[in-house]
């Protein structure tokens, strides 16, 4: 990262639109220093931590209210009283996916819920695909969320896009 005028310039092999999103994020964070109360800047504040991750290049903004982080698939949710399920999971990850890492994990930045729209989500997925095209080592993208619940459309029809966009 290198400061150039009032913008940050990234020297990574990233699509230009991702670099623009980084610059927008950095600018927003800098402009907010005078607007946010001191108690915003604490480690217990999820929004602050998400901003720090983007500013430290640990998270990649992909547009709207979404960002991704490189991570491994974890076994935690599958270890339990069902050894058969664990075996099925392990064989799927190893044989079908080719391994436990790296993947892009999709997160929602609560701070940017004003950008929580179907068009923005579709663009975010397109940008994730472009990132994956440039980083062939990434095996895929995933998210764990109530957004993917099959009952979402009946419960909150206005949020149906949260399931429909990734499904399509």
């Amino acid at each position: 990262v290198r400061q150039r005028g009032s913008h940050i310039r990234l020297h990574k092999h990233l699509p230009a639109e991702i670099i623009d999103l980084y610059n927008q994020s950095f600018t927003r964070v800098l402009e907010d220093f005078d607007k946010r109360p001191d108690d915003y800047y604490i480690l217990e504040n999820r929004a602050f931590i998400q901003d720090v991750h983007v500013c430290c290049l640990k998270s990649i903004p992909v547009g709207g209210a979404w960002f991704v982080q490189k991570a491994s698939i974890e076994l935690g949710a599958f270890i339990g009283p069902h050894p058969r399920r664990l075996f099925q999971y392990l064989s799927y990850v190893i044989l079908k996916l080719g391994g436990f890492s790296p993947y892009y994990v999709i997160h929602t930045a609560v701070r940017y819920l004003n950008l929580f729209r179907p068009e923005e989500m579709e663009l975010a997925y397109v940008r994730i695909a472009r990132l994956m095209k440039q980083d062939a080592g990434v095996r895929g993208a995933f998210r764990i969320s109530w957004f993917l619940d099959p009952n979402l459309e009946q419960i909150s029809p206005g949020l149906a896009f949260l399931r429909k966009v990734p499904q399509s």
Side-chain angles (χ1 to χ4, degrees):
V1 181
R2 193 172 64 154
Q3 185 90 23
R4 182 178 171 189
S6 63
H7 293 278
I8 303 294
R9 190 166 166 204
L10 296 169
H11 290 283
K12 282 184 122 183
H13 299 291
L14 293 170
E17 60 193 321
I18 298 293
I19 293 172
D20 289 342
L21 291 170
Y22 266 117
N23 282 322
Q24 291 169 24
S25 295
F26 295 149
T27 301
R28 257 192 313 264
V29 168
L30 289 172
E31 289 173 350
D32 270 3
F33 279 131
D34 294 336
K35 298 174 187 170
R36 299 270 176 198
D38 288 345
D39 64 353
Y40 177 82
Y41 301 99
I42 59 173
L43 295 177
E44 291 79 18
N45 183 353
R46 184 174 160 199
F48 169 63
I49 295 302
Q50 289 173 337
D51 282 342
V52 169
H53 280 202
V54 170
C55 290
C56 291
L57 309 181
K58 289 185 172 280
S59 297
I60 303 170
V62 290
W66 297 279
F67 63 92
V68 296
Q69 293 175 322
K70 272 190 184 178
S72 300
I73 295 177
E74 296 182 14
L75 289 176
F78 295 92
I79 296 175
H82 305 289
R84 184 174 177 187
R85 187 177 297 155
L86 175 61
F87 179 74
Q88 289 171 334
Y89 174 72
L90 285 172
S91 57
Y92 180 80
V93 170
I94 293 167
L95 299 175
K96 298 284 186 184
L97 300 179
F100 287 89
S101 70
Y103 292 86
Y104 285 129
V105 182
I106 304 166
H107 297 280
T108 301
V110 177
R111 178 177 179 192
Y112 303 115
L113 290 181
N114 61 317
L115 302 172
F116 209 67
R117 296 187 295 275
E119 317 79 59
E120 291 293 335
M121 187 179 218
E122 287 177 21
L123 281 172
Y125 275 98
V126 168
R127 290 178 183 126
I128 292 168
R130 289 182 184 142
L131 283 168
M132 290 174 60
K133 191 173 183 180
Q134 286 192 296
D135 189 351
V138 174
R139 298 180 185 281
F142 73 92
R143 79 174 318 138
I144 298 171
S145 175
W146 61 265
F147 296 169
L148 305 173
D149 187 318
N151 297 312
L152 179 64
E153 295 169 37
Q154 289 81 29
I155 297 167
S156 297
L159 295 177
F161 75 91
L162 294 171
R163 179 172 157 74
K164 288 181 179 178
V165 170
Q167 196 172 27
S168 70

